[in-house]
Amino acid sequence: MATIDMPVREALNQAIDEEMERDDAVYIMGEEVAQYQGAYKVTKGLYQKYGERRVIDTPITEMGFTGLAVGSAYKDLKPIVEFMTFNFSMQAIDQIVNSAAKQYYMSAGDISCPIVFRGANGIAAGVAAQHSQCFAAWYSSVPGLKVLAPYSSEDAKGLLKAAIRDPNPVVFLEQELLYGTPFPMSDEAQGKDFVIPIGEAKIEKEGSDVTIVTFSRGVGLSLEAAEELTKKGINAEVINLRTIRPLDRDTILSSIKKTGRVVTVEDGWPQCGVGAEIAAMCMEDDGVFDSLDAPVQRICGADVPMPYALNLEEAAVPQINDIVEACEKATYRGK
Amino acid sequence: MASATFNLEGTFKVHNLDTAPPTETTATEEELLDYFKTMYTMRRMEITCDNEYKARAIRGFCHLYDGQEAIATGINDAFTQEDSWITSYRCHCVALIRGGSVEKVLAELFGLQNGYTKGKGGSMHFYNKEHNFYGGQGIVGAQVPVGVGLAFANKYKTPEGEHMPVSLSAYGDGAANQGQIWEAANMAALWKLPAIFCCENNSYGMGTSVERHTSNPDGDYYKMGNAIPGVKIDGMNVLSVREGMKFVKEYCASGNGPIYVEMNTYRYHGHSMSDPGTTYRSRDEIAATRSARDPIEFVKKCLIENNMKDEGELKEIEKGIRKEVQKAAKAAKAGPIPPPEELYNYIYAEDGSKEKAEKQKFIRMPQYKNSVHNA
């Protein structure tokens, strides 16, 4: 097999298909996942292949079906719960946090909860305030959850397979704007046992002058920003977090110690966001604080509900320019 | 073996059903004695909790079940250990009857390592997967969709056409108004899951009576499933509970879909130990219920009136159980407090099994410098 280009949605589809084939306990449940082939076509073909026992259309009742899926996971099934977007997960957040995340701990190890909650997270295009929220910060603050955010198709497939195989509740944050983007899939990535370890960040581009820490859509923006920065003589290192909880402290902090400068990039709101956590980590670890040559720069979504008008939406969302300017500031090259 | 027949007429009502639980049943002396001992042990355990809470050996929330013992006892007798059971925070007695012991329950409440969940859970969080007991859940109503998920798993794993183990989600009249219960019931009916929705109606959601929290004037929690069939059972009569639940279990296990159950019962204590239980109901009401409908007195009457045991013999048994419970409390108290490492144990599972928790790379403690690496 040679390296091929594959869009993210197909990589996700492949991951789910392979894991369902491998383990009868795996099933997928959500709105329109079966007969409609998936609202974003991520579950295309699965209903035809596995039937209604394992690919299940639900009524529009997130709290109910999330709780139901959690209960089935207590009894050793391995549900994949699709939220059409994570905005709707708020209806079910009690079940995710109180019935799933905390269960192993409260039961002193008696009841584990091998469940995956997946779906489109964060900004889309023109869907406005109630349909554009990023939930990375909220879910990644909860002990007992694992939170993943893939960028490329390899990320998507390898991380989703890892999530499905993991015996813990995993929140899997996809990005609608990336579903159709093709990425190269290596030989290895096309294989049926291609699993990316949870808790390990990936250095997408090595550099020496400034560390950019980001995830999901931010990775693409940061790589483009890094190209522009190279032309300006600034060699940026780009870290794709892949896992938001547990954060790969070793990779993040050793990169920051090396470059002495850090810019975080996320689409979510600034207050108590992922960037805020990275900044705090830099302050707390003596080794990192002493290595810092500049304050941490955070690039985040604007502190407003998402507006509709195109120009307002663009202003509310991180752009490549924002990342370039932040890196220039961190390296004292900009204004 | 002595046995007697008991009339159950008037203890059941059905909704959308052509059949009903039986109008009479037989019970042996052994069975009745077993119910009596079980319920009396539950009663003494809950009274011990009351005393220990007031002595401040138990902290936080403590929701007692005394008055409702016949429900847990009757359900357990109608079920096998393959059937799943999930309930609310008023869970001490279900935890006891499903593979527990008085000592383990009390030790957990005392926050000790020999407790039911090693001191990690407390009063609202008892679990016993081996006995298909899933808690012990603190959020009102949330246990119900989870319980339907247990039924979903039962159906998923049972070959088509065979009897399935059932799953019972217990909840109170206070929880019955929750929308997520209907969400779960709707799916249970659509997919014909062996799910039992069991409302333990003790007439009060904390301090709010049924008349003040449910717009249906008669409550009628067994009819809340709309088209879904329902059975109402006298929850103070352990034989009615047993027979009613046998009927319900057979219905659900055969693939007919879910059933709503309502059991009328009463709690002598307030909602929890923080609630005296007398600001929203009269002491007369509590006393009247205790003298007219007490579930333990009912079983004693069954034994006495059928010449199986006399008052004196039953008093001896009660004395013995009181001693046992005292012994258990003492043994529970002797346990150690959890070691400090227990704080960050069981965050993640390594392979899903009970003892293999995943090592944590980093746990941030209140002071950064005390953070734990490779826990």
Side-chain angles (χ1 to χ4, degrees), chain A residues 31-328:
Chain A
E31 294 154 17
E32 311 300 350
V33 297
Q35 296 189 17
Y36 193 86
Q37 306 294 296
Y40 297 101
K41 300 294 176 277
V42 173
T43 54
K44 184 167 165 204
L46 297 179
Y47 177 66
Q48 289 91 298
K49 184 169 176 186
Y50 296 104
E52 65 181 11
R53 173 174 172 265
R54 303 181 65 198
V55 185
I56 301 155
D57 281 333
T58 63
I60 308 173
T61 50
E62 276 78 1
M63 198 167 183
F65 68 70
T66 303
L68 191 156
V70 169
S72 75
Y74 287 0
K75 285 217 74 164
D76 309 311
L77 293 190
K78 298 189 182 152
I80 304 169
V81 175
E82 176 173 304
F83 292 118
M84 199 178 282
T85 76
F86 265 91
N87 299 288
F88 316 137
S89 75
M90 283 198 281
Q91 307 233 311
I93 199 165
D94 175 67
Q95 296 289 359
I96 297 170
V97 174
N98 280 322
S99 302
K102 299 175 184 173
Q103 189 58 45
Y104 194 64
Y105 190 86
M106 293 193 296
S107 66
D110 194 25
I111 299 172
S112 59
C113 191
I115 191 168
V116 175
F117 305 103
R118 55 155 291 273
N121 171 67
I123 66 167
V127 296
Q130 295 175 338
H131 288 72
S132 306
Q133 191 170 327
C134 175
F135 291 85
W138 286 16
Y139 286 123
S140 68
S141 72
V142 180
L145 282 184
K146 295 191 180 181
V147 180
L148 308 182
Y151 161 62
S152 65
S153 297
E154 282 203 9
D155 284 358
K157 180 176 170 186
L159 289 174
L160 186 52
K161 284 167 79 77
I164 295 166
R165 295 184 190 192
D166 197 295
N168 296 289
V170 181
V171 170
F172 193 85
L173 304 171
E174 299 160 9
Q175 180 26 279
E176 192 213 314
L177 298 173
L178 290 173
Y179 277 153
T181 307
F183 289 90
M185 287 284 274
S186 65
D187 236 14
E188 196 206 343
Q190 291 172 62
K192 289 200 172 179
D193 277 305
F194 175 67
V195 172
I196 290 178
I198 294 177
E200 288 183 23
K202 180 182 178 205
I203 298 178
E204 295 281 350
K205 174 193 178 290
E206 282 191 30
S208 51
D209 297 339
V210 57
T211 301
I212 304 175
V213 182
T214 184
F215 59 96
S216 188
R217 194 186 82 100
V219 177
L221 297 183
S222 299
L223 288 170
E224 291 198 58
E227 266 185 54
E228 279 192 41
L229 288 162
T230 304
K231 296 185 200 136
K232 298 182 185 222
I234 299 172
N235 186 7
E237 178 150 295
V238 178
I239 297 182
N240 172 5
L241 286 174
R242 285 179 159 178
T243 301
I244 322 288
R245 184 176 188 98
L247 281 170
D248 183 354
R249 293 177 59 91
D250 291 342
T251 301
I252 299 166
L253 296 181
S254 54
S255 170
I256 295 172
K257 275 194 244 190
K258 179 177 81 174
T259 64
R261 301 156 201 280
V262 53
V263 173
T264 68
V265 180
E266 69 197 294
D267 285 336
W269 292 319
Q271 187 160 334
C272 303
V274 177
E277 177 62 23
I278 308 283
M281 277 163 62
C282 291
M283 297 301 108
E284 292 181 326
D285 185 306
D286 290 337
V288 179
F289 180 69
D290 290 338
S291 315
L292 283 178
D293 291 328
V296 176
Q297 301 291 319
R298 285 189 297 170
I299 303 294
C300 325
D303 207 357
V304 298
M306 187 63 68
Y308 168 67
L310 180 60
N311 65 316
L312 296 181
E313 186 182 83
E314 282 175 349
V317 152
Q319 306 292 346
I320 295 168
N321 225 54
D322 296 319
I323 305 171
V324 172
E325 281 183 35
C327 288
E328 287 179 313

Side-chain angles (χ1 to χ4, degrees), chain B residues 70-366:
Chain B
I71 295 180
T73 306
I75 291 175
N76 195 60
D77 205 45
F79 279 10
T80 71
Q81 294 294 297
E82 296 311 306
D83 297 315
S84 297
W85 197 338
I86 192 170
T87 186
S88 69
Y89 42 74
R90 202 175 300 284
C91 61
H92 300 171
C93 298
V94 183
L96 175 67
I97 208 170
R98 273 268 155 149
S101 68
V102 176
E103 183 182 329
K104 273 175 76 177
V105 171
L106 292 176
E108 182 62 30
L109 297 172
F110 296 144
L112 302 171
Q113 194 180 28
N114 52 325
Y116 215 114
T117 36
K118 303 191 184 176
K120 300 288 276 257
S123 171
M124 300 183 285
H125 305 302
F126 293 99
Y127 305 93
N128 197 325
K129 186 164 173 177
E130 197 189 318
H131 289 259
N132 277 305
F133 170 54
Y134 296 89
Q137 297 286 341
I139 307 296
V140 172
Q143 75 273 20
V144 181
V146 175
V148 174
L150 301 172
F152 178 93
N154 286 346
K155 179 166 181 183
Y156 193 95
K157 295 197 252 189
T158 305
E160 181 117 26
E162 281 182 28
H163 262 48
M164 302 171 273
V166 300
S167 171
L168 182 136
S169 301
Y171 56 95
D173 50 278
N177 301 312
Q178 283 251 319
Q180 61 181 316
I181 295 180
W182 168 249
E183 292 189 16
N186 182 44
M187 286 181 278
L190 278 173
W191 304 334
K192 294 219 181 298
L193 304 180
I196 300 165
F197 293 79
C198 182
C199 178
E200 297 184 54
N201 180 4
N202 58 23
S203 301
Y204 297 92
M206 197 153 146
T208 310
S209 67
V210 163
E211 302 81 58
R212 291 208 300 129
H213 71 55
T214 296
S215 56
N216 181 335
D218 297 313
D220 278 349
Y221 297 104
Y222 70 113
K223 293 185 184 172
M224 271 178 103
N226 207 10
I228 297 170
V231 180
K232 187 165 164 168
I233 301 173
D234 177 359
M236 298 307 231
N237 180 334
V238 67
L239 298 173
S240 300
V241 174
R242 179 185 82 183
E243 291 307 310
M245 292 314 295
K246 275 190 190 160
F247 170 85
V248 165
K249 177 179 148 106
E250 178 54 35
Y251 179 93
C252 294
S254 322
N256 291 308
I259 273 200
Y260 269 65
V261 173
E262 178 182 347
M263 304 221 199
N264 295 104
T265 185
Y266 200 81
R267 53 162 162 81
Y268 295 133
H269 272 86
H271 164 72
S272 71
M273 285 304 297
S274 324
D275 169 29
T278 47
T279 57
Y280 48 85
R281 51 183 198 174
S282 68
R283 290 183 202 275
D284 285 345
E285 179 189 292
I286 304 169
T289 309
R290 206 186 273 276
S291 62
R293 295 173 62 207
D294 185 272
I296 298 176
E297 290 304 311
F298 171 81
V299 178
K300 281 167 78 172
K301 220 169 109 179
C302 291
L303 286 161
I304 293 170
E305 285 180 355
N306 289 285
N307 300 313
M308 294 171 175
K309 285 274 181 268
D310 63 42
E311 279 268 15
E313 287 170 304
L314 294 178
K315 278 227 169 345
E316 275 307 300
I317 296 174
E318 286 181 356
K319 227 168 102 178
I321 290 175
R322 276 207 289 276
K323 275 216 184 92
E324 285 301 310
V325 171
Q326 270 171 1
K327 238 176 74 184
K330 202 160 163 221
K333 275 203 178 137
I337 58 171
E341 310 80 70
E342 198 59 54
L343 177 67
Y344 35 81
N345 198 8
Y346 298 121
I347 305 271
Y348 293 135
E350 185 174 310
D351 63 3
S353 71
K354 180 168 182 145
E355 287 314 318
K356 279 198 109 193
E358 194 182 282
K359 254 171 164 273
Q360 300 305 300
K361 270 204 171 145
F362 178 82
I363 299 271
R364 174 83 169 65
M365 293 295 281

